[in-house]
């Protein structure tokens, strides 16, 4: 439970609010690169932290993110004509380059373009996402590379999906491994045979489904890290072993969710405003740092009944509150807990129906909500700290973000889950590229 005041701090992201200012210290996803794929192509609307912006790619391939309102008389630049290194407002023809500078005034008898600028923000493209920095220029830190900087476009996929609720509510579901045992569970999971991997070591991803079904009340163990925290959900398996599913939370809006043997996939929850957000997902294609341990993903389990998201582009929202998320009451009796056929729609249903901004003075957290409450505490304390002049954690340049991973394994007798998925994990170390291995060896000297 939070006080009303703390819930306000956690959820409000407008300019001048504590969390709004916190977010403005980090590079944020503005849109997918594919939304502004072509030079001189159509611009994209960007709503971020309550700001109405437009992204466009100029003739030279540079991406600009500028305020949507034209500084002449306020028409939307989204409808602008993108041509010859600038976006031209089609009301009277003022034109702006990616730095926001007005470079032409089609209607002016005596141009004063040199004195006119539209607010513009720095951009950086990485991993199929256009990132931007909305904070004060003097506090801008380097772009945080989560492992995308060196990857060619053939090796990644990125998508985004809209959630009609506050950003923190959506991220709550990403640091809540317990819900997978219920919200995403299906009846056929009960029939899955023991494939021989329910023993200490790497279980198959398919076997994970059995463990989620078998133990819906995992023990949650949270470990603070310089970037936020990692936590394990530890479940008893049908054979009596301890299965750890480990996810990472990185300040203020990023998670990496457990997978066998480890994962580098990332979710970034970028608030549009207080009541909605875009969830960006980045994955390597194929999951090139994954070893074959674990085998096919759990979605290939026999009898798995749910549809999954497309991997690229903007995920369509065919099922919303307006059509009750497509709930199928017959399927709810014999196919799955939710009767909702689309995996991510199950999450939307759960997080959006708590309200645009959930009133956390009314919640009752229990033992499986430890990571959720740690997430709240950390954001609230960093937001308050920034308001008092303290530097936020995990800014660009403060550490190696490429080494943060989720993981999953059945633990040996005395095995410490904290090692899993880190550079010290033998499975990870074996797959690190030689350059990175050499750099880590150097750091140990
Ligand atoms: S409103 Fe944009 S040019 Fe006049
Ligand atoms: Fe979920």
């Amino acid at each position: 439970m939070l006080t009303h005041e703390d819930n306000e701090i956690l959820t409000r992201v407008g300019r001048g609010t504590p969390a709004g200012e916190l977010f403005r210290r980090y590079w944020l996803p503005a849109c997918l690169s594919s939304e502004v794929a072509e030079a001189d192509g159509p611009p994209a609307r960007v709503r971020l932290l309550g700001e109405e912006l437009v992204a466009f790619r100029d003739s030279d391939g540079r991406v600009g993110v500028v305020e949507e309102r034209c500084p002449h008389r306020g028409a939307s630049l989204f409808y602008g004509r993108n041509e010859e290194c600038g976006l031209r407002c089609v009301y009277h023809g003022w034109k702006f380059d990616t730095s926001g500078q007005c470079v032409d005034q089609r209607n002016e008898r005596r141009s004063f373009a040199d004195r006119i600028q539209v607010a513009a923000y720095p951009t950086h493209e990485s991993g199929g996402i256009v990132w931007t920095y909305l904070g004060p220029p003097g506090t801008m830190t380097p772009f945080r590379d989560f492992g995308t900087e060196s990857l060619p476009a053939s090796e990644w996929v990125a998508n985004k999906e809209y959630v009609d609720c506050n950003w923190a509510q959506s991220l709550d579901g990403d640091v809540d491994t317990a819900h997978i045992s219920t919200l995403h569970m299906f009846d056929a999971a009960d029939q899955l045979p023991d494939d021989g991997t329910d023993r200490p070591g790497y279980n198959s991803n398919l076997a994970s489904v059995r463990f989620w079904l078998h133990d819906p009340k995992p023990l949650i163990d949270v470990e603070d890290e310089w970037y936020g925290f990692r936590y394990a959900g530890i479940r008893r398996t049908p054979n009596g072993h301890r299965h750890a599913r480990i996810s990472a939370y990185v300040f203020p809006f990023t998670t990496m969710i457990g997978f066998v043997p480890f994962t580098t996939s990332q979710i970034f929850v970028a608030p549009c405003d207080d009541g909605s957000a875009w969830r960006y997902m980045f994955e390597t294609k194929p999951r090139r740092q994954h070893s074959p341990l674990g085998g096919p993903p759990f979605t290939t389990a026999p009898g798995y009944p749910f549809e999954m998201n497309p991997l690229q582009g903007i995920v369509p929202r065919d099922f919303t509150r307006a059509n009750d998320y497509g709930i199928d009451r017959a399927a709810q009796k014999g196919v799955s807990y939710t009767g909702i056929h689309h995996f991510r729609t199950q999450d939307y249903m759960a997080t959006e129906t708590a309200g645009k901004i959930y009133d956390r003075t009314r919640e009752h957290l229990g033992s499986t909500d430890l990571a959720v409450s740690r997430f709240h505490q950390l954001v609230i304390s960093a937001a308050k700290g920034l308001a008092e002049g303290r530097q936020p954690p995990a800014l660009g340049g403060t550490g190696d973000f490429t080494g943060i991973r989720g993981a999953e394994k059945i633990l040996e007798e005395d095995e410490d889950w904290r090692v899993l998925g880190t550079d010290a994990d033998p499975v990870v170390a074996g797959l690190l590229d030689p350059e990175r291995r050499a750099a880590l060896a150097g750091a140990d000297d």
Side-chain angles (χ1 to χ4, degrees), residues 179 183-184 347:
H179 83 264
L183 184 73
H184 302 305
D347 290 302

Side-chain angles (χ1 to χ4, degrees), residues 70-77 89-96 107:
C70 175
H72 177 215
R73 282 181 24 218
S76 167
L77 291 171
C89 176
V90 290
Y91 198 176
H92 312 93
W94 289 21
K95 179 177 168 182
F96 305 90
N107 65 328

Side-chain angles (χ1 to χ4, degrees), residues 423 426-444:
D423 287 344
V427 167
V428 175
L431 286 169
L432 289 177
D433 62 64
E435 220 170 275
R436 182 168 168 78
R437 255 203 307 271
L440 289 168
D444 287 347

